[in-house]
């Protein structure tokens, strides 16, 4: 079969075609005829579509390959991005955790160090002590001394060996009414132990001593204190002062007396236990003589005021000749209590004064209370003759 060739695109076509099937150019007489054997014609016919299919297959292959490559790149990029984001989140989380730990560390350590080393002032100790004293006071009063006008002293030192300053308050007080009723007229002292917990001082023990002890200092967890007692020598009867030193050890909820030593001292060493004469007005170390009456009966009262406010003397009923030994105690700045007693009689005197020149009050004999008025006759420093 003969074919004709399109002049424009070179496509072979049937001579019966009115136009080129490829480019649409109309056929005419100028289109030339191509002779070919049946075999060549068949091969040419078959080869043209195969070449087109092959070319089209290559295009599809490369297209698919390009799409897959793009998808792979996108996939890899996405995973890398996720990993980086997660890494950043982890790093941020770790940084936040570390920051929080550092903040916690900063908050805890300085606070702990602060609590262990907080310095309390004497004003802090005084406030805490006076709050607790309300529960121990009863009807006692502080005894003001020349070197301690408030009636108590504050000492700071380590009591329990933890290296932190604790506190001891040494209070000097009058005997209670109950103690006086039992003929105990001697002044007392308390030792309050406070431990420092970093925020405040907490009371751990309060110990009442039978007489007035004076704390000297706190040394290696031990409380060093002393008292002064007076006695007469056997050979010449001279009055001497003896310093009785004791060591007390804080032990949990109690104060343990470890004992001590005694030695004679000059009375000048005991200046701190002298009462403030300006406020008490009846001065320690003086002997007073009074005259007056007790419900119309003339009486004489002589007594000396010893250290710690202790009173020793004598009562004399001029009319009946009755003599009683007097012992007593200055109770407050303006009052004192005396007990006169012999084998047959006992009188309890409760007296007050605005000045040493006049004493007034009552003498109680059983259920009877007799009014007492006394006027000062003389006063002098106590010596060996009294």
């Amino acid at each position: 079969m003969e074919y004709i060739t399109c002049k424009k695109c070179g496509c072979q076509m049937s001579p019966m075609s009115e136009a080129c099937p490829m480019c649409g150019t109309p056929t005419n007489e100028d289109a030339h005829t191509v002779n070919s054997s049946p075999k060549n014609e068949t091969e040419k016919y078959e080869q043209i579509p195969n070449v087109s299919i092959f070319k089209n297959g290559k295009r599809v292959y490369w297209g698919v390959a390009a799409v897959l490559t793009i998808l792979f790149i996108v996939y890899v990029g996405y995973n890398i991005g996720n990993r980086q984001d997660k890494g950043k989140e982890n790093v941020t989380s770790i940084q936040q955790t570390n920051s929080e730990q550092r903040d916690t560390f900063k908050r805890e350590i300085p606070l702990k160090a602060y609590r262990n080393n907080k310095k309390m002032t004497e004003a802090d100790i005084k406030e805490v002590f006076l709050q607790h004293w309300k529960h121990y006071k009863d009807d006692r009063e502080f005894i003001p001394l020349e070197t301690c006008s408030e009636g108590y002293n504050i000492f700071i030192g380590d009591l329990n060996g933890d290296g932190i300053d604790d506190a001891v308050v040494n209070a000097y007080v009058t005997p209670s009414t109950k103690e006086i009723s039992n003929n105990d007229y001697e002044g007392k002292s308390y030792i309050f132990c406070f431990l420092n917990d970093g925020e405040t001082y907490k009371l751990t023990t309060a110990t009442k001593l039978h007489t007035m002890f004076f704390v000297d200092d706190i040394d290696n967890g031990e409380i060093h204190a002393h008292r002064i007692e007076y006695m007469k020598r056997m050979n010449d009867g001279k009055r001497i002062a003896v310093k009785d030193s004791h060591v007390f050890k804080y032990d949990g909820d109690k104060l343990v007396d470890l004992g001590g030593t005694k030695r004679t001292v000059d009375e000048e060493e005991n200046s701190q236990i002298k009462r403030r004469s300006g406020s008490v007005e009846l001065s320690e170390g003086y002997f007073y003589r009074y005259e007056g009456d007790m419900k119309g009966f003339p009486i004489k009262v002589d007594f000396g005021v010893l250290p710690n406010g202790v009173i020793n003397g004598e009562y004399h009923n001029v009319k009946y000749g009755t003599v009683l030994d007097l012992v007593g105690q200055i109770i407050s700045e303006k009052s004192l209590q005396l007990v006169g007693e012999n084998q047959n009689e006992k009188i309890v005197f409760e007296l007050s004064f605005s000045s040493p020149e006049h004493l007034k009050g009552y003498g109680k004999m059983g259920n009877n209370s007799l009014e007492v008025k006394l006027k000062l006759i003389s006063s002098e420093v106590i010596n060996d003759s009294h």
Side-chain angles (χ1 to χ4, degrees):
M1 180 178 177
E2 289 185 348
Y3 293 93
I4 62 174
T5 301
C6 178
K7 293 181 179 180
K8 187 173 182 178
C9 66
C11 177
Q12 293 182 348
M13 56 185 167
S14 173
M16 301 297 294
S17 301
E18 294 181 358
C20 177
M22 293 295 291
C23 63
T25 302
T27 59
N28 52 39
E29 65 279 359
D30 294 332
H32 62 276
T33 301
V34 178
N35 293 325
S36 178
S37 64
K39 181 179 179 179
N40 291 335
E41 291 172 359
T42 304
E43 289 177 353
K44 290 179 181 179
Y45 181 80
E46 291 176 354
Q47 285 177 355
I48 292 170
N50 287 339
V51 171
S52 177
I53 291 171
F54 177 74
K55 289 181 178 179
N56 291 337
K58 278 187 174 184
R59 292 192 187 98
V60 171
Y61 170 79
W62 288 112
V64 171
V67 170
L68 291 176
T69 301
I70 293 172
L71 291 176
F72 177 76
I73 293 172
V74 171
Y75 174 77
V76 171
Y78 176 78
N79 284 338
I80 292 174
N82 277 345
R83 288 178 183 175
Q84 289 178 344
D85 290 342
K86 289 181 179 179
K88 290 180 180 178
E89 291 176 359
N90 291 336
V91 170
T92 303
S93 176
I94 292 171
Q95 289 176 344
Q96 289 177 347
T97 301
N98 290 339
S99 178
E100 291 173 357
Q101 290 175 347
R102 286 195 298 269
D103 290 344
T104 302
F105 184 80
K106 289 178 181 178
R107 286 194 298 269
E108 289 178 355
I109 296 302
L111 181 59
K112 184 176 181 181
Y114 168 76
R115 287 183 176 176
N116 286 343
N117 296 287
K118 185 175 181 180
K119 299 296 183 181
M120 298 291 183
T121 65
E122 287 196 6
D124 297 326
I125 304 168
K126 177 179 178 180
E127 180 182 359
V128 175
F129 164 66
L130 292 178
Q131 289 175 355
H132 286 286
W133 175 245
K134 296 176 184 178
H135 303 289
Y136 291 88
K137 178 181 178 181
D138 194 14
D139 56 356
R140 305 177 190 276
E141 299 291 339
F142 288 125
I143 298 176
L145 306 177
E146 286 186 352
T147 58
C148 177
S149 61
E150 293 179 313
Y152 56 87
N153 273 320
I154 297 172
F155 301 85
I156 297 177
D158 185 8
L159 288 175
N160 57 359
D162 62 358
I164 305 173
D165 281 342
D166 304 304
V168 166
V169 178
N170 184 200
Y172 324 112
V173 298
T174 61
S176 66
T177 302
K178 183 177 180 180
E179 289 167 337
I180 292 173
S181 66
N182 293 323
N183 296 329
D184 181 2
Y185 302 98
E186 191 168 2
K188 314 296 178 187
S189 64
Y190 277 84
I191 295 180
F192 288 77
C193 294
F194 296 89
L195 291 188
N196 181 359
D197 67 356
E199 295 179 349
T200 185
Y201 282 101
K202 292 186 177 180
L203 178 64
T204 57
T205 178
T207 305
K208 184 187 77 173
L209 303 176
H210 67 281
T211 186
M212 290 184 71
F213 270 89
F214 302 91
V215 173
D216 299 311
D217 58 27
I218 303 172
D219 185 19
N220 293 325
E222 296 178 341
I223 302 170
H224 294 257
H226 74 275
R227 70 186 182 102
I228 299 294
E229 56 183 352
Y230 294 88
M231 58 184 66
K232 289 185 178 181
R233 289 195 301 215
M234 296 294 294
N235 57 348
D236 58 6
K238 185 178 179 180
R239 180 173 176 267
I240 59 174
V242 177
K243 185 175 183 178
D244 183 12
S245 299
H246 282 246
V247 175
F248 297 93
K249 182 73 175 179
Y250 166 75
D251 184 16
D253 60 347
K254 61 183 180 297
L255 203 62
V256 180
D257 187 351
L258 302 181
T261 58
K262 292 184 178 183
R263 66 181 179 91
T264 58
V265 295
D266 294 332
E267 292 195 27
E268 286 75 13
E269 292 187 33
N270 192 33
S271 59
Q272 73 177 94
I273 68 171
K274 291 182 179 179
R275 289 170 177 261
R276 295 180 67 195
S277 59
S279 58
V280 177
E281 295 190 34
L282 282 175
S283 301
E284 292 177 359
Y286 278 77
F287 190 84
Y288 296 89
R289 289 186 172 87
Y290 288 90
E291 292 182 359
D293 69 85
M294 183 169 65
K295 201 175 181 178
F297 297 101
I299 60 174
K300 293 182 180 181
V301 175
D302 303 335
F303 61 80
V305 181
L306 304 178
N308 304 334
V310 176
I311 296 176
N312 286 331
E314 184 178 82
Y315 161 87
H316 182 208
N317 187 312
V318 178
K319 183 175 182 178
Y320 294 104
T322 304
V323 177
L324 305 177
D325 291 329
L326 287 176
V327 293
Q329 176 80 39
I330 295 177
I331 302 303
S332 68
E333 294 184 356
K334 301 296 182 182
S335 64
L336 67 154
Q337 187 175 62
L338 303 173
V339 177
E341 192 171 15
N342 61 19
Q343 294 180 349
N344 302 315
E345 281 188 67
K346 179 179 179 180
I347 304 175
V348 178
F349 296 94
E350 293 184 356
L351 305 173
S352 61
F353 55 92
S354 57
S355 71
E357 281 71 25
H358 297 276
L359 303 180
K360 61 180 180 179
Y362 294 90
K364 297 181 180 179
M365 304 173 61
N367 295 326
N368 298 320
S369 292
L370 306 177
E371 185 178 10
V372 176
K373 294 180 180 180
L374 297 172
K375 181 179 180 180
L376 181 64
I377 302 301
S378 66
S379 63
E380 57 190 16
V381 176
I382 295 176
N383 53 46
D384 293 340
S385 65
H386 294 108

